[in-house]
Coordinates of all heavy atoms in Angstrom, one line a residue:
G7 N 98.7 271.1 197.2 CA 99.3 272.1 196.5 C 98.6 273.5 196.6 O 97.7 273.7 197.4
P8 N 98.9 274.4 195.8 CA 98.3 275.8 195.8 C 96.8 275.8 195.6 O 96.1 276.5 196.3 CB 99.1 276.5 194.7 CG 100.3 275.8 194.4 CD 100.0 274.3 194.8
A9 N 96.3 274.9 194.7 CA 94.9 274.9 194.5 C 94.2 274.5 195.7 O 93.2 275.1 196.1 CB 94.6 274.0 193.3
S10 N 94.7 273.4 196.4 CA 94.0 272.9 197.6 C 94.0 274.0 198.7 O 93.0 274.2 199.4 CB 94.7 271.7 198.1 OG 94.6 270.6 197.2
A11 N 95.2 274.6 198.9 CA 95.3 275.7 199.9 C 94.3 276.8 199.6 O 93.6 277.3 200.5 CB 96.7 276.2 200.0
S12 N 94.3 277.3 198.4 CA 93.4 278.4 198.1 C 91.9 278.0 198.2 O 91.1 278.8 198.5 CB 93.7 279.0 196.7 OG 93.5 278.1 195.7
E13 N 91.6 276.7 197.9 CA 90.2 276.2 198.0 C 89.8 276.3 199.5 O 88.7 276.7 199.8 CB 90.1 274.8 197.5 CG 90.1 274.6 196.0 CD 90.2 273.2 195.6 OE1 90.1 272.3 196.4 OE2 90.4 273.0 194.4
M14 N 90.7 275.9 200.4 CA 90.4 276.0 201.8 C 90.1 277.4 202.3 O 89.2 277.7 203.0 CB 91.4 275.3 202.7 CG 91.4 273.8 202.6 SD 92.6 273.0 203.7 CE 94.1 273.2 202.8
I15 N 91.0 278.3 201.8 CA 90.9 279.8 202.2 C 89.6 280.3 201.6 O 88.9 281.1 202.3 CB 92.1 280.6 201.6 CG1 93.4 280.1 202.4 CG2 91.9 282.1 201.8 CD1 94.7 280.7 201.8
T16 N 89.3 279.9 200.4 CA 88.0 280.4 199.7 C 86.8 279.9 200.5 O 85.8 280.7 200.6 CB 88.0 280.0 198.2 OG1 89.1 280.5 197.6 CG2 86.8 280.6 197.6
C17 N 86.8 278.7 201.0 CA 85.7 278.2 201.7 C 85.5 279.0 203.0 O 84.4 279.2 203.5 CB 85.9 276.7 202.1 SG 85.6 275.7 200.7
I18 N 86.6 279.5 203.6 CA 86.5 280.3 204.8 C 86.1 281.7 204.5 O 85.3 282.3 205.2 CB 87.8 280.2 205.6 CG1 88.0 278.7 206.1 CG2 87.8 281.1 206.9 CD1 89.4 278.5 206.6
F19 N 86.7 282.3 203.5 CA 86.5 283.7 203.1 C 86.0 283.8 201.6 O 86.8 284.3 200.8 CB 87.8 284.5 203.3 CG 88.4 284.4 204.7 CD1 89.5 283.7 204.9 CD2 87.8 285.2 205.7 CE1 90.0 283.6 206.2 CE2 88.3 285.1 207.0 CZ 89.5 284.3 207.2
P20 N 84.8 283.3 201.3 CA 84.4 283.2 199.9 C 84.2 284.6 199.2 O 84.2 284.6 198.0 CB 83.1 282.4 200.0 CG 82.6 282.7 201.4 CD 83.8 282.8 202.2
R21 N 84.1 285.6 200.0 CA 83.9 286.9 199.3 C 85.2 287.7 199.2 O 85.2 288.8 198.6 CB 82.9 287.8 200.1 CG 81.5 287.2 200.0 CD 80.5 288.0 200.7 NE 79.2 287.4 200.6 CZ 78.2 288.0 199.9 NH1 78.4 289.2 199.3 NH2 77.0 287.4 199.8
E22 N 86.3 287.2 199.8 CA 87.5 287.9 199.7 C 88.6 287.1 199.0 O 89.6 287.7 198.5 CB 88.1 288.2 201.1 CG 87.2 289.2 201.9 CD 86.4 288.5 203.0 OE1 86.8 287.5 203.5 OE2 85.4 289.1 203.4
C23 N 88.6 285.8 199.0 CA 89.6 285.0 198.5 C 89.1 284.0 197.4 O 88.1 283.4 197.5 CB 90.3 284.2 199.6 SG 91.0 285.2 200.9
G24 N 89.9 283.9 196.3 CA 89.6 283.0 195.2 C 90.4 281.8 195.2 O 91.4 281.6 195.9
I25 N 90.0 280.9 194.3 CA 90.7 279.6 194.1 C 91.7 279.8 192.9 O 91.3 280.0 191.8 CB 89.8 278.5 193.8 CG1 88.8 278.3 194.9 CG2 90.5 277.2 193.5 CD1 87.7 277.3 194.7
W26 N 93.0 279.6 193.2 CA 94.1 279.7 192.2 C 94.3 278.2 191.7 O 95.0 277.4 192.3 CB 95.4 280.2 192.9 CG 96.5 280.3 191.9 CD1 97.6 279.5 191.7 CD2 96.7 281.3 190.9 NE1 98.4 279.9 190.7 CE2 97.8 281.0 190.2 CE3 95.9 282.4 190.5 CZ2 98.3 281.8 189.1 CZ3 96.4 283.2 189.5 CH2 97.6 282.9 188.8
N27 N 93.6 277.9 190.6 CA 93.7 276.6 190.0 C 93.7 276.7 188.5 O 93.7 277.8 188.0 CB 92.5 275.7 190.5 CG 91.2 276.2 190.1 OD1 91.0 277.1 189.3 ND2 90.1 275.7 190.7
D28 N 93.9 275.6 187.9 CA 94.0 275.6 186.4 C 92.8 276.2 185.7 O 93.0 276.9 184.8 CB 94.3 274.1 185.9 CG 94.7 274.1 184.5 OD1 95.6 274.8 184.1 OD2 94.0 273.3 183.7
R29 N 91.6 275.9 186.2 CA 90.4 276.4 185.6 C 90.4 278.0 185.7 O 90.1 278.6 184.7 CB 89.2 276.0 186.4 CG 88.7 274.6 186.0 CD 87.4 274.3 186.7 NE 87.6 274.1 188.1 CZ 86.7 273.6 188.9 NH1 85.5 273.4 188.4 NH2 86.9 273.4 190.1
A30 N 90.7 278.5 186.8 CA 90.8 280.0 187.0 C 91.8 280.6 186.1 O 91.6 281.6 185.4 CB 91.0 280.3 188.4
R31 N 93.0 280.0 186.0 CA 94.1 280.5 185.2 C 93.7 280.5 183.7 O 93.9 281.5 183.0 CB 95.4 279.7 185.4 CG 96.0 280.0 186.8 CD 97.4 279.5 186.9 NE 97.5 278.0 186.6 CZ 97.3 277.1 187.6 NH1 97.0 277.4 188.8 NH2 97.5 275.8 187.3
K32 N 93.0 279.4 183.2 CA 92.6 279.3 181.8 C 91.5 280.4 181.6 O 91.5 281.0 180.5 CB 92.1 277.9 181.5 CG 93.2 276.9 181.4 CD 92.6 275.5 181.1 CE 93.8 274.5 181.0 NZ 93.3 273.2 180.8
G33 N 90.6 280.5 182.5 CA 89.5 281.5 182.3 C 90.1 282.9 182.3 O 89.7 283.8 181.5
L34 N 91.0 283.2 183.2 CA 91.6 284.5 183.2 C 92.5 284.8 182.0 O 92.6 285.9 181.5 CB 92.5 284.7 184.5 CG 91.6 284.8 185.7 CD1 92.5 284.6 187.0 CD2 90.9 286.1 185.8
E35 N 93.1 283.7 181.4 CA 93.8 283.9 180.2 C 92.9 284.2 179.0 O 93.2 285.1 178.2 CB 94.6 282.6 179.9 CG 95.5 282.6 178.7 CD 96.3 281.4 178.5 OE1 96.5 280.6 179.4 OE2 96.6 281.1 177.3
T36 N 91.7 283.6 179.0 CA 90.7 283.9 178.0 C 90.3 285.3 178.1 O 90.0 286.0 177.1 CB 89.5 282.9 178.1 OG1 90.0 281.6 178.0 CG2 88.4 283.2 177.1
L37 N 90.2 285.8 179.3 CA 89.8 287.2 179.5 C 91.0 288.2 179.4 O 90.8 289.4 179.7 CB 89.2 287.4 180.9 CG 87.8 286.6 181.1 CD1 87.4 286.7 182.6 CD2 86.8 287.2 180.2
S38 N 92.1 287.7 179.0 CA 93.3 288.6 178.7 C 93.9 289.2 179.9 O 94.4 290.3 179.9 CB 93.0 289.7 177.7 OG 92.5 289.1 176.5
Y39 N 94.0 288.4 181.0 CA 94.7 288.9 182.2 C 96.1 288.4 182.4 O 96.7 288.5 183.4 CB 93.9 288.5 183.5 CG 92.7 289.4 183.7 CD1 91.4 289.1 183.2 CD2 92.9 290.6 184.4 CE1 90.4 289.9 183.5 CE2 91.8 291.4 184.6 CZ 90.5 291.1 184.1 OH 89.5 291.9 184.4
G40 N 96.7 287.8 181.3 CA 98.0 287.3 181.3 C 99.1 288.3 181.6 O 100.2 288.0 182.1
D41 N 98.8 289.6 181.2 CA 99.8 290.6 181.5 C 99.7 291.2 182.9 O 100.6 291.9 183.3 CB 99.6 291.8 180.5 CG 98.2 292.4 180.5 OD1 97.2 291.7 180.9 OD2 98.0 293.6 180.2
V42 N 98.7 290.8 183.6 CA 98.5 291.3 185.0 C 98.8 290.3 186.0 O 99.3 290.6 187.1 CB 97.0 291.8 185.2 CG1 96.7 292.3 186.6 CG2 96.6 292.8 184.2
L43 N 98.6 289.0 185.7 CA 98.7 287.9 186.6 C 99.7 286.8 186.0 O 99.7 286.6 184.8 CB 97.4 287.2 186.9 CG 96.4 288.1 187.6 CD1 95.0 287.4 187.6 CD2 96.8 288.4 189.0
P44 N 100.4 286.1 186.9 CA 101.3 285.1 186.4 C 100.6 283.8 186.1 O 100.7 282.8 186.8 CB 102.3 284.9 187.6 CG 101.5 285.2 188.8 CD 100.5 286.3 188.3
L45 N 99.8 283.8 185.0 CA 99.0 282.6 184.8 C 99.7 281.4 184.4 O 99.1 280.3 184.3 CB 98.0 283.0 183.6 CG 97.1 284.3 184.0 CD1 96.2 284.6 182.8 CD2 96.3 284.0 185.2
D46 N 101.0 281.5 184.1 CA 101.8 280.3 183.8 C 102.4 279.6 185.0 O 103.0 278.6 184.9 CB 102.9 280.7 182.8 CG 103.8 281.8 183.4 OD1 103.4 282.6 184.2 OD2 105.0 281.8 183.0
K47 N 102.1 280.2 186.2 CA 102.6 279.6 187.4 C 101.6 278.9 188.2 O 100.5 279.4 188.4 CB 103.2 280.7 188.3 CG 104.4 281.4 187.7 CD 104.8 282.6 188.5 CE 105.3 282.3 189.9 NZ 105.7 283.5 190.7
K48 N 101.9 277.7 188.7 CA 101.0 276.9 189.6 C 101.1 277.5 191.0 O 100.1 277.7 191.7 CB 101.3 275.4 189.6 CG 100.7 274.7 188.5 CD 100.8 273.2 188.8 CE 99.9 272.4 187.9 NZ 99.9 271.0 188.2
S49 N 102.3 277.7 191.5 CA 102.6 278.3 192.8 C 102.8 279.8 192.7 O 103.7 280.2 191.9 CB 103.7 277.6 193.5 OG 103.5 276.2 193.7
I50 N 102.2 280.6 193.5 CA 102.4 282.0 193.5 C 102.7 282.5 194.9 O 102.4 281.9 195.9 CB 101.1 282.7 192.9 CG1 99.9 282.4 193.7 CG2 101.0 282.4 191.4 CD1 98.6 283.2 193.2
T51 N 103.3 283.7 194.9 CA 103.6 284.4 196.2 C 102.3 284.9 196.8 O 101.3 285.1 196.1 CB 104.6 285.5 196.0 OG1 104.0 286.5 195.2 CG2 105.9 285.0 195.3
S52 N 102.4 285.3 198.0 CA 101.3 286.0 198.7 C 100.9 287.3 198.0 O 99.7 287.6 197.9 CB 101.6 286.2 200.2 OG 102.7 287.0 200.3
K53 N 101.9 288.0 197.5 CA 101.6 289.3 196.8 C 100.8 289.0 195.5 O 99.9 289.7 195.1 CB 102.8 290.1 196.5 CG 103.5 290.7 197.7 CD 102.7 291.9 198.2 CE 103.3 292.5 199.4 NZ 102.5 293.5 200.0
E54 N 101.3 287.9 194.8 CA 100.6 287.5 193.6 C 99.2 287.1 193.8 O 98.2 287.4 193.1 CB 101.4 286.5 192.8 CG 102.7 287.0 192.3 CD 103.6 285.9 191.8 OE1 103.6 284.8 192.4 OE2 104.4 286.1 190.9
Y55 N 99.0 286.3 194.9 CA 97.7 285.9 195.3 C 96.8 287.1 195.7 O 95.6 287.1 195.3 CB 97.7 284.9 196.5 CG 96.4 284.3 196.9 CD1 95.7 283.4 196.1 CD2 95.8 284.7 198.0 CE1 94.5 282.9 196.4 CE2 94.5 284.2 198.4 CZ 93.9 283.3 197.6 OH 92.6 282.8 197.9
E56 N 97.3 288.0 196.4 CA 96.6 289.2 196.7 C 96.1 290.0 195.4 O 95.0 290.4 195.3 CB 97.4 290.1 197.6 CG 96.7 291.3 198.1 CD 97.6 292.2 199.0 OE1 98.6 291.6 199.6 OE2 97.4 293.4 199.1
K57 N 97.0 290.0 194.5 CA 96.7 290.7 193.2 C 95.6 289.9 192.5 O 94.6 290.4 191.9 CB 97.9 290.8 192.3 CG 97.7 291.4 190.9 CD 97.2 292.8 191.0 CE 97.0 293.4 189.6 NZ 96.4 294.7 189.6
F58 N 95.7 288.6 192.5 CA 94.7 287.7 191.9 C 93.3 287.9 192.5 O 92.3 288.1 191.8 CB 95.1 286.2 192.1 CG 94.0 285.2 191.9 CD1 93.5 285.0 190.7 CD2 93.6 284.4 193.0 CE1 92.5 284.0 190.5 CE2 92.6 283.4 192.8 CZ 92.1 283.2 191.5
C59 N 93.2 288.0 193.9 CA 92.0 288.3 194.5 C 91.4 289.7 194.2 O 90.2 289.9 194.0 CB 92.1 288.2 196.0 SG 92.4 286.4 196.5
T60 N 92.3 290.7 194.0 CA 91.9 292.0 193.6 C 91.3 292.0 192.2 O 90.2 292.6 191.9 CB 93.1 293.0 193.6 OG1 93.6 293.0 194.9 CG2 92.7 294.4 193.1
V61 N 91.9 291.2 191.3 CA 91.4 291.1 189.9 C 90.0 290.4 189.9 O 89.1 290.8 189.3 CB 92.4 290.3 189.0 CG1 91.7 289.8 187.7 CG2 93.6 291.1 188.7
L62 N 89.9 289.3 190.8 CA 88.6 288.7 190.9 C 87.5 289.6 191.3 O 86.4 289.6 190.9 CB 88.7 287.5 191.8 CG 89.4 286.3 191.3 CD1 89.4 285.1 192.4 CD2 89.0 285.8 190.0
N63 N 87.9 290.5 192.3 CA 86.9 291.5 192.8 C 86.5 292.4 191.7 O 85.3 292.8 191.6 CB 87.5 292.2 194.0 CG 86.4 292.9 194.8 OD1 85.3 292.4 194.9 ND2 86.7 294.1 195.2
E64 N 87.5 292.9 190.9 CA 87.2 293.7 189.7 C 86.2 293.1 188.7 O 85.3 293.7 188.3 CB 88.4 294.2 189.0 CG 89.3 295.1 189.8 CD 90.7 295.3 189.2 OE1 91.0 294.8 188.1 OE2 91.6 295.9 189.9
I65 N 86.5 291.8 188.5 CA 85.6 291.0 187.5 C 84.2 290.9 188.1 O 83.2 291.1 187.4 CB 86.2 289.6 187.3 CG1 87.5 289.8 186.5 CG2 85.2 288.7 186.5 CD1 88.3 288.5 186.3
R66 N 84.2 290.6 189.4 CA 82.9 290.5 190.1 C 82.1 291.8 190.0 O 80.9 291.8 189.7 CB 83.1 290.1 191.5 CG 81.8 289.9 192.3 CD 82.1 289.3 193.7 NE 80.8 289.2 194.4 CZ 80.6 289.7 195.5 NH1 81.5 290.4 196.1 NH2 79.4 289.6 196.1
K67 N 82.7 292.9 190.2 CA 82.0 294.2 190.1 C 81.5 294.4 188.7 O 80.4 295.0 188.5 CB 83.0 295.4 190.5 CG 83.2 295.4 192.0 CD 84.2 296.5 192.3 CE 84.5 296.5 193.8 NZ 85.5 297.6 194.1
N68 N 82.3 294.1 187.7 CA 81.9 294.2 186.3 C 80.7 293.3 186.0 O 79.8 293.6 185.2 CB 83.1 293.9 185.3 CG 84.0 295.1 185.3 OD1 83.7 296.2 185.5 ND2 85.3 294.8 185.1
L69 N 80.7 292.1 186.5 CA 79.6 291.2 186.3 C 78.3 291.7 186.9 O 77.2 291.6 186.3 CB 79.9 289.8 186.9 CG 80.9 289.0 186.1 CD1 81.3 287.7 186.9 CD2 80.4 288.6 184.7
I70 N 78.4 292.3 188.1 CA 77.3 292.9 188.7 C 76.7 294.0 187.9 O 75.5 294.2 187.7 CB 77.6 293.4 190.2 CG1 77.8 292.1 191.1 CG2 76.5 294.3 190.7 CD1 78.4 292.4 192.4
K71 N 77.6 294.8 187.3 CA 77.2 295.9 186.4 C 76.4 295.4 185.2 O 75.5 296.0 184.7 CB 78.4 296.7 185.9 CG 79.0 297.7 186.9 CD 80.2 298.4 186.3 CE 80.9 299.2 187.4 NZ 82.1 299.8 186.8
L72 N 76.8 294.2 184.8 CA 76.1 293.5 183.6 C 74.8 292.8 184.1 O 74.3 292.0 183.3 CB 77.0 292.6 182.9 CG 78.2 293.2 182.2 CD1 79.2 292.1 181.8 CD2 77.8 294.0 181.1
D73 N 74.5 293.0 185.4 CA 73.3 292.4 186.0 C 73.5 290.9 186.1 O 72.5 290.1 186.1 CB 72.0 292.7 185.1 CG 70.8 292.7 186.0 OD1 70.9 292.8 187.2 OD2 69.7 292.5 185.4
K74 N 74.7 290.4 186.4 CA 75.0 289.0 186.7 C 75.4 289.0 188.1 O 76.4 289.4 188.5 CB 76.2 288.5 185.8 CG 76.0 288.7 184.3 CD 75.1 287.7 183.8 CE 75.0 287.8 182.3 NZ 74.0 287.1 181.7
D75 N 74.5 288.5 188.9 CA 74.7 288.4 190.4 C 75.6 287.2 190.7 O 75.3 286.1 190.5 CB 73.4 288.3 191.1 CG 73.6 288.4 192.6 OD1 74.5 289.1 193.0 OD2 72.8 287.9 193.4
V76 N 76.8 287.6 191.2 CA 77.8 286.5 191.6 C 78.0 286.7 193.1 O 78.5 287.7 193.5 CB 79.1 286.7 190.8 CG1 80.1 285.7 191.3 CG2 78.9 286.7 189.3
E77 N 77.5 285.8 193.8 CA 77.5 285.9 195.3 C 78.9 285.9 195.9 O 79.1 286.7 196.8 CB 76.7 284.8 195.9 CG 76.6 284.9 197.4 CD 75.3 284.4 198.0 OE1 74.3 284.3 197.2 OE2 75.3 284.2 199.2
D78 N 79.8 285.1 195.4 CA 81.1 285.0 196.0 C 82.1 284.4 195.0 O 81.8 284.1 193.9 CB 81.1 284.2 197.3 CG 80.5 282.8 197.2 OD1 80.7 282.2 196.1 OD2 79.9 282.3 198.1
F79 N 83.3 284.3 195.5 CA 84.4 283.8 194.6 C 84.3 282.3 194.2 O 84.8 281.9 193.2 CB 85.8 284.1 195.1 CG 86.1 285.6 195.1 CD1 87.0 286.1 196.0 CD2 85.5 286.5 194.2 CE1 87.4 287.5 195.9 CE2 85.9 287.8 194.1 CZ 86.8 288.3 195.0
L80 N 83.6 281.6 195.1 CA 83.3 280.2 194.7 C 82.5 280.1 193.5 O 82.7 279.4 192.5 CB 82.6 279.4 195.9 CG 83.5 279.0 197.0 CD1 82.6 278.5 198.2 CD2 84.4 277.9 196.6
E81 N 81.4 280.9 193.5 CA 80.5 281.0 192.3 C 81.3 281.5 191.1 O 81.1 281.1 190.0 CB 79.3 281.8 192.6 CG 78.2 281.8 191.6 CD 77.0 282.5 192.0 OE1 76.7 282.6 193.2 OE2 76.3 283.0 191.1
Q82 N 82.1 282.5 191.3 CA 82.9 283.1 190.3 C 83.9 282.1 189.7 O 84.1 282.1 188.5 CB 83.6 284.4 190.8 CG 84.2 285.2 189.7 CD 84.6 286.6 190.2 OE1 84.0 287.1 191.1 NE2 85.6 287.1 189.6
D83 N 84.4 281.3 190.5 CA 85.4 280.3 190.0 C 84.6 279.4 189.0 O 85.2 279.1 187.9 CB 85.9 279.4 191.2 CG 86.9 278.3 190.7 OD1 87.9 278.7 190.1 OD2 86.6 277.2 190.9
Y84 N 83.4 279.0 189.3 CA 82.7 278.2 188.4 C 82.4 278.9 187.1 O 82.4 278.4 186.0 CB 81.3 277.7 189.0 CG 81.5 276.8 190.2 CD1 80.9 277.1 191.4 CD2 82.4 275.7 190.2 CE1 81.1 276.3 192.5 CE2 82.6 274.9 191.3 CZ 81.9 275.2 192.4 OH 82.1 274.5 193.5
S85 N 82.1 280.2 187.2 CA 81.8 281.0 185.9 C 83.1 281.2 185.1 O 83.0 281.2 183.9 CB 81.2 282.4 186.3 OG 82.2 283.2 186.9
L86 N 84.2 281.2 185.7 CA 85.5 281.3 184.9 C 85.7 280.0 184.2 O 86.2 280.0 183.1 CB 86.7 281.6 185.8 CG 86.8 283.0 186.3 CD1 88.0 283.1 187.3 CD2 87.1 283.9 185.2
Y87 N 85.3 278.9 184.7 CA 85.5 277.6 184.1 C 84.5 277.4 183.0 O 84.8 276.9 181.9 CB 85.3 276.5 185.2 CG 85.5 275.1 184.6 CD1 86.7 274.7 184.1 CD2 84.4 274.2 184.6 CE1 86.9 273.4 183.6 CE2 84.6 272.9 184.1 CZ 85.8 272.5 183.6 OH 86.0 271.3 183.1
Y88 N 83.2 277.7 183.2 CA 82.2 277.5 182.2 C 82.0 278.7 181.4 O 81.8 279.0 180.4 CB 80.9 277.1 182.8 CG 81.0 275.8 183.6 CD1 81.1 275.8 185.0 CD2 81.2 274.6 183.0 CE1 81.2 274.7 185.7 CE2 81.3 273.4 183.7 CZ 81.3 273.5 185.1 OH 81.5 272.3 185.8

């Protein structure tokens, strides 16, 4: 499904692509990104996935500003879950 496909892409491009899975959607919902991303959808379009990756990059930049070093989106996926 979409989670497996995005996991493979993230393993190849961990600094550009994120994992679109239930954990990420729940974490992004907690961070109030429901108005920006289709968090109620399991399958998303390529444009929606591109927006998702842009949002992850924005979050990563904000974490770095808070002195939280997040090396890539794999690590960021874990931080959204926990």
